[in-house]
Amino acid sequence: MSNDTFNMSMRKFLKQVGVTSQQAIEEHVRREGLTSGSLKAKMTLTFEGSDFVHEVDGKIDLD
């Protein structure tokens, strides 16, 4: 395994996840007309062909 290739590929994937997730959250907030409160969120990471599961729970404050 090439550490440089692995790190670059992982960073590219995580950037795509971050950017597209932020866009999806912003669109949801606009579409629903949300202006206050918070959203309980969960992100799940899996790998095809593996039983690996990593979940992150969090809260997104709107005000």
Side-chain angles (χ1 to χ4, degrees):
M1 174 179 77
S2 166
N3 282 336
D4 289 341
T5 300
F6 173 65
N7 285 332
M8 290 292 287
S9 183
M10 183 171 45
R11 286 175 186 228
K12 182 179 177 182
F13 173 75
L14 291 173
K15 183 176 180 180
Q16 181 181 9
V17 168
V19 169
T20 59
S21 296
Q22 181 176 348
Q23 291 169 342
I25 293 165
E26 290 171 347
E27 174 61 27
H28 173 75
V29 168
R30 279 194 298 273
R31 186 177 59 247
E32 297 296 319
L34 303 174
T35 58
S36 63
S38 62
L39 298 170
K40 289 177 72 174
K42 178 185 284 191
M43 183 67 73
T44 304
L45 173 66
T46 62
F47 297 115
E48 189 173 321
S50 171
D51 61 356
F52 176 88
V53 176
H54 175 73
E55 293 183 340
V56 177
D57 293 307
K59 182 177 84 166
I60 300 168
D61 294 319
L62 302 176
D63 54 0

